Amino acid sequence: MTTTQFEGVPSLAGEAPGRAGTVVMKFGGTSVADTERLLAVARRLVAAREAGNRVVAVLSAMGDTTDELVRLAHEMSPEPAPRELDMLISVGERVSCALATMAIHDLGHEAISLTGSQAGIVTDTAHGKAKIVDVRARRIHEALDENRIVLVAGFQGVSTDYDITTLGRGGSDTTAVALAVALGAEACEIYTDVEGVYTADPRLVPEARKLHAVSYEEMLEMAASGARVLQVRSVEVARNHRVKLHVRSTFSAADGTWIREEDERMLEKALISGVTHTREEMLYRVEGTDPARLFAILAEAGVNVDTIVRTGSEILFSAPAEDHESARDALDGLDVDWTARDDLGKVSVVGAGMKSHPGVAARAFETLAAAGIELEVVITSPIKIACHVRGEDVERAVLELHRAFQLDAPEAERQHA
Ligand code: ASP
Ligand code: MG
């Protein structure tokens, strides 16, 4: 069984419905890594404005600024207070927005930068992983009505207790989608350092193809199982509100990947949309507790549990390696026997076509068996087959599965006119 959590729906707080021609354009950290790139982003925003759009930009922090701020916090204190950590790490996005706004002014256009709080992004009070509960977009609408380009600092909001919060790593994607929903935008464009979503990680599989279209459900499974282009929660919000996303490169004008509702054309072309992987995933075995208690405690500790299997009195679950300390503390606090394996990774085959075509699992298992790759745990959902394999087998497993499902063929792209 896989569990997927759904994000609450940002309400519109009485805002007017969407106006024609609003676009939300989000740029990731690599796209704004230095002032030269920020200038290129500014030019792109100006071009969208000159084409007649109402332009809202969401920027990430420059390069690895956020990592650097987190590092600084831990240099200062072993356990920084979550509220102060959010005060600190929300700064990077503000820097990008202010700088890009200056560049837009110099290009002869009106623009204004806003923090998440000023932009009306209201969240719950969970520091470091806050959820958006409301978007009060009045100020953005006013600025757009004054012909300004509006730049909103990604990844942050203000809580119902009036504190600055952040939305979790990669959270600028969620800022962008939530704004697209609240503004009734026609498009939500996610500009990044890759050309789109691929049939596998192209660094690992040179023959991987860029997908033209992926359904929300596929993208959710892909993002949750290792595809790193989008924060999972941004895809949940997009799906809940049927906002189309376009993931594309900052550095070219090429069409990227559309993430949208499933349609028959996606299914007729290729059964499988992609093979994703994670190199490290901890697998825990727990004896002597009931699942309700166990998973409540893990959830409270912020452990992002993925796979759950229960057989007899034993419970097996997996979680990302970075959550290991929290998981360990939570399990130690329970009176249970537990062990963990850290030598495993996970390979997943994802595709909406699986629902209607039997034999995908058989082909996946045959392929791995023929390559001499042992499966430790196998989990399926209606559109995913995930296999835990030894870490050292992950790369080979991805290559073999990619070939077995002919994802190097042109049809894999799901290109249709
Ligand atoms: N800068 C934040 C991070 O690195 C948020 C984002 O870029 O989406 O996680
Ligand atoms: Mg990102």
Side-chain angles (χ1 to χ4, degrees):
M1 186 184 86
T2 28
T3 49
T4 309
Q5 288 183 346
F6 299 110
E7 173 129 355
V9 175
S11 72
L12 300 185
E15 302 297 341
R19 299 153 210 226
T22 302
V23 292
V24 174
M25 300 165 72
K26 182 258 170 181
F27 292 85
T30 322
S31 309
V32 297
D34 53 38
T35 47
E36 213 174 297
R37 289 189 179 174
L38 275 164
L39 177 57
V41 167
R43 289 213 174 92
R44 218 162 172 155
L45 297 174
V46 163
R49 175 75 201 106
E50 285 178 348
N53 295 293
R54 291 158 68 87
V55 179
V56 176
V58 174
L59 304 192
S60 285
M62 296 169 74
D64 47 19
T65 300
T66 311
D67 289 330
E68 186 51 33
L69 293 169
V70 170
R71 195 197 58 72
L72 207 55
H74 288 100
E75 189 179 302
M76 194 78 243
S77 161
E79 269 185 68
R83 180 190 183 280
E84 303 312 322
L85 193 56
D86 275 353
M87 280 298 273
L88 180 72
I89 67 176
S90 56
V91 165
E93 276 68 14
R94 186 162 162 175
V95 172
S96 307
C97 285
L99 288 171
T101 302
M102 294 171 195
I104 295 172
H105 291 162
D106 291 345
L107 293 169
H109 277 260
E110 299 286 339
I112 184 172
S113 63
L114 299 173
T115 64
S117 166
Q118 290 173 320
I121 294 171
V122 181
T123 74
D124 64 19
T125 57
H127 284 291
K129 51 173 187 235
K131 291 196 171 176
I132 297 173
V133 295
D134 198 4
V135 178
R136 299 178 186 159
R138 207 198 58 207
R139 187 149 183 203
I140 297 180
H141 281 302
E142 280 171 5
L144 291 171
D145 288 343
E146 290 160 7
N147 287 322
R148 291 180 205 267
I149 296 170
V150 180
L151 293 92
V152 178
F155 171 59
Q156 59 191 275
V158 61
S159 77
T160 46
D161 285 347
Y162 307 106
D163 282 320
I164 300 300
T165 48
T166 61
L167 310 179
R169 298 307 302 267
S172 297
D173 295 333
T174 302
T175 303
V177 178
L179 285 177
V181 172
L183 300 170
E186 296 201 329
C188 185
E189 309 230 293
I190 308 281
Y191 290 86
T192 180
D193 54 357
V194 293
E195 298 259 331
V197 181
Y198 282 74
T199 52
D201 184 341
R203 283 166 303 185
L204 215 140
V205 185
E207 312 80 53
R209 287 188 178 258
K210 182 172 79 187
L211 289 154
H212 175 72
V214 179
S215 71
Y216 295 117
E217 287 73 20
E218 288 175 318
M219 195 63 233
L220 272 176
E221 293 282 17
M222 291 171 90
S225 64
R228 299 179 54 180
V229 292
L230 284 172
Q231 195 193 35
V232 177
R233 282 167 56 190
S234 71
V235 186
E236 287 173 5
V237 177
R239 178 188 56 179
N240 292 349
H241 296 273
R242 303 287 144 190
V243 174
K244 269 191 221 128
L245 306 183
H246 185 197
V247 176
R248 57 188 302 190
S249 168
T250 306
F251 308 111
S252 87
D255 208 36
T257 301
W258 289 91
I259 295 152
R260 52 173 173 71
E261 244 163 299
E262 179 181 304
D263 76 28
E264 274 153 34
R265 296 174 308 177
M266 284 182 193
L267 302 180
E268 80 200 11
K269 295 270 178 177
L271 222 51
I272 297 301
S273 57
V275 181
T276 52
H277 71 279
T278 50
R279 285 178 194 279
E280 281 191 348
E281 192 157 284
M282 300 289 296
L283 188 68
Y284 300 83
R285 236 171 246 280
V286 185
E287 191 84 55
T289 183
D290 67 289
R293 177 153 167 262
L294 173 65
F295 292 110
I297 289 200
L298 289 168
E300 207 173 295
V303 178
N304 202 346
V305 172
D306 179 39
T307 298
I308 301 173
V309 185
R310 186 183 184 199
T311 44
S313 63
E314 190 176 74
I315 299 168
L316 215 65
F317 71 90
S318 68
E322 67 258 26
D323 288 353
H324 182 58
E325 276 181 33
S326 320
R328 185 196 58 203
D329 294 348
L331 291 167
D332 281 345
L334 281 168
D335 185 24
V336 295
D337 289 326
W338 67 275
T339 55
R341 278 186 71 171
D342 63 358
D343 60 336
L344 300 175
K346 191 175 69 182
V347 184
S348 306
V349 175
V350 176
M354 252 183 238
K355 285 181 294 196
S356 44
H357 293 80
V360 173
R363 200 191 306 177
F365 300 151
E366 272 161 28
T367 303
L368 295 174
I373 296 170
E374 265 176 63
L375 307 181
E376 296 294 337
V377 182
V378 176
I379 301 293
T380 65
S381 84
I383 63 165
K384 178 181 79 176
I385 298 163
C387 307
H388 284 89
V389 301
R390 278 194 309 266
E392 70 228 39
D393 288 337
V394 166
E395 274 192 27
R396 226 155 35 87
V398 173
L399 284 161
E400 295 288 349
L401 289 168
H402 196 267
R403 193 171 310 135
F405 287 102
Q406 284 140 23
L407 292 174
D408 51 352
E411 295 74 40
E413 289 175 12
R414 300 168 159 181
Q415 191 70 250
H416 31 246

